[in-house]
Amino acid sequence: MATTTATISINSADIMSGQVINLTKSSNLNQAETTTGLVNTTGLAIRTLKATSAEVLVDYSVVLNDDDEMGAKMYIKNNGTSSSQFVTITINSVEICRLYGGDFAFFPYPNDDDRDITATPSTTEEVTIEYMAIF
Amino acid sequence: MATTTATFSLRSSDLIPSQVLSLTTSKRLYKAGSSSEGVDHLKMGRHKLSSGVAASDLFNADAALNQDKSNYVYISNASTTKSNYVEVTVIGEHIGRLYAGDFMWLPWNADLVTSDISVLAVNGESTIDYALFHEGETLVLVSA
């Protein structure tokens, strides 16, 4: 068993008048419905994309078992700096988010039913993304 | 204009043998297409989700939510019962399950009027904490 901890902090002193926002949450990444840590990972990968075609980041059939009760998690970041170019992330061909330069996403991954995760840049300008599945 | 920053870290000393994982990233939340103007609106709250009830829209991607603008979504399952989870979907597509204590962070562009983010409690009641950092919305007019 491994112990992996994800933490997010969201801070703003001025998005609300008279109320500082200081939201912090930590979570140990556990197997579904247990307190046992996730033990598998794709490792941290870095990939440069140069075309506007969809690239598979995680192929569920190769990397993961067809088991949506694993408690898998996915981290993806656009390492670019552009505020106009973005990378579209899809699951099972459905757009779930757009990552502009510096944006990141962290979400549970339903590794079942052919739900590959893909990334598609909005332009042919070279962009680097980093990602990691933990399952 | 507001200054809002999200910082994320992923740490483990034993997930990868002989390699400590210590990843940290930080991003200031800007309006779409801008590198200087921060998002300046916020929705934040807590919902109790009853089990056995159909999925509910947590965030509705209608015109009021500025489609194709910056919307940053935080959802956490505040429950402690391990078997209970919250299923999160976008446009009806199953993103995944938030088990007790899990959270997610998603830059959501709400590109279609159907790009709603929905939640469903499974195996029992769950409580979620949520926040949406966005560019603003137009309130719906009161019906005559």
Side-chain angles (χ1 to χ4, degrees), chain B residues 36-51:
Chain B
S36 60
E37 196 174 358
V39 298
D40 47 13
H41 287 71
L42 169 64
K43 281 184 176 179
M44 196 170 180
R46 167 172 279 201
H47 273 311
K48 184 165 73 176
L49 306 175
S50 300
S51 184

Side-chain angles (χ1 to χ4, degrees), chain A residues 13-47:
Chain A
D14 55 3
I15 197 167
M16 289 188 78
S17 174
Q19 177 62 57
V20 171
I21 300 299
N22 188 4
L23 189 164
T24 299
K25 173 70 180 172
S26 284
S27 176
N28 285 338
L29 308 188
N30 293 330
Q31 297 173 31
E33 302 183 24
T34 73
T35 54
T36 304
L38 295 167
V39 294
N40 298 301
T41 179
T42 57
L44 183 62
I46 295 177
R47 196 150 157 188

Side-chain angles (χ1 to χ4, degrees), chain B residues 4-19:
Chain B
T4 306
T5 304
T7 302
F8 175 77
S9 70
L10 205 50
R11 301 189 192 288
S12 181
S13 60
D14 54 3
L15 177 65
I16 304 171
S18 305
Q19 178 62 58

Side-chain angles (χ1 to χ4, degrees), chain B:
Chain B
M1 184 178 89
T3 301
T4 306
T5 304
T7 302
F8 175 77
S9 70
L10 205 50
R11 301 189 192 288
S12 181
S13 60
D14 54 3
L15 177 65
I16 304 171
S18 305
Q19 178 62 58
V20 172
L21 174 64
S22 180
L23 178 161
T24 301
T25 186
S26 194
K27 173 72 195 292
R28 189 172 156 200
L29 310 186
Y30 291 116
K31 293 182 177 180
S34 173
S35 58
S36 60
E37 196 174 358
V39 298
D40 47 13
H41 287 71
L42 169 64
K43 281 184 176 179
M44 196 170 180
R46 167 172 279 201
H47 273 311
K48 184 165 73 176
L49 306 175
S50 300
S51 184
V53 177
S56 306
D57 280 348
L58 181 62
F59 300 119
N60 196 321
D62 56 21
L65 251 184
N66 287 325
Q67 289 162 33
D68 280 333
K69 301 292 185 182
S70 283
N71 301 282
Y72 291 89
V73 171
Y74 164 82
I75 308 172
S76 166
N77 183 345
S79 304
T80 55
T81 305
K82 287 295 170 189
S83 58
N84 295 2
Y85 62 87
V86 175
E87 212 165 70
V88 182
T89 61
V90 175
I91 323 180
E93 178 61 26
H94 179 192
I95 292 182
R97 298 174 176 182
L98 291 176
Y99 291 93
D102 283 351
F103 71 85
M104 62 183 285
W105 175 256
L106 204 62
W108 173 54
N109 64 301
D111 66 318
L112 303 168
V113 291
T114 54
S115 299
D116 302 342
I117 294 184
S118 305
V119 288
L120 171 71
V122 180
N123 287 344
E125 178 183 290
S126 283
T127 298
I128 57 168
D129 295 332
Y130 65 89
L132 172 67
F133 298 84
H134 62 112
E135 298 190 32
E137 63 182 324
T138 303
L139 296 178
V140 177
L141 295 174
V142 174
S143 305

Side-chain angles (χ1 to χ4, degrees), chain A residues 2-98:
Chain A
T3 301
T4 307
T5 304
T7 303
I8 191 163
S9 298
I10 308 159
N11 302 290
S12 182
D14 55 3
I15 197 167
M16 289 188 78
S17 174
Q19 177 62 57
V20 171
I21 300 299
N22 188 4
L23 189 164
T24 299
K25 173 70 180 172
S26 284
S27 176
N28 285 338
L29 308 188
N30 293 330
Q31 297 173 31
E33 302 183 24
T34 73
T35 54
T36 304
L38 295 167
V39 294
N40 298 301
T41 179
T42 57
L44 183 62
I46 295 177
R47 196 150 157 188
T48 299
L49 307 176
K50 301 176 181 177
T52 55
S53 52
E55 295 286 333
V56 175
L57 302 183
V58 178
D59 180 339
Y60 100 100
S61 65
V62 173
V63 179
L64 304 169
N65 296 321
D66 187 5
D67 181 356
D68 62 355
E69 295 189 0
M70 293 175 65
K73 304 291 186 296
M74 187 73 192
Y75 160 78
I76 313 173
K77 179 187 176 187
N78 179 342
N79 281 336
T81 57
S82 176
S83 59
S84 56
Q85 184 200 34
F86 58 86
V87 177
T88 300
I89 304 299
T90 69
I91 297 178
N92 197 22
S93 302
V94 173
E95 177 175 333
I96 63 160
C97 69
R98 289 182 183 179

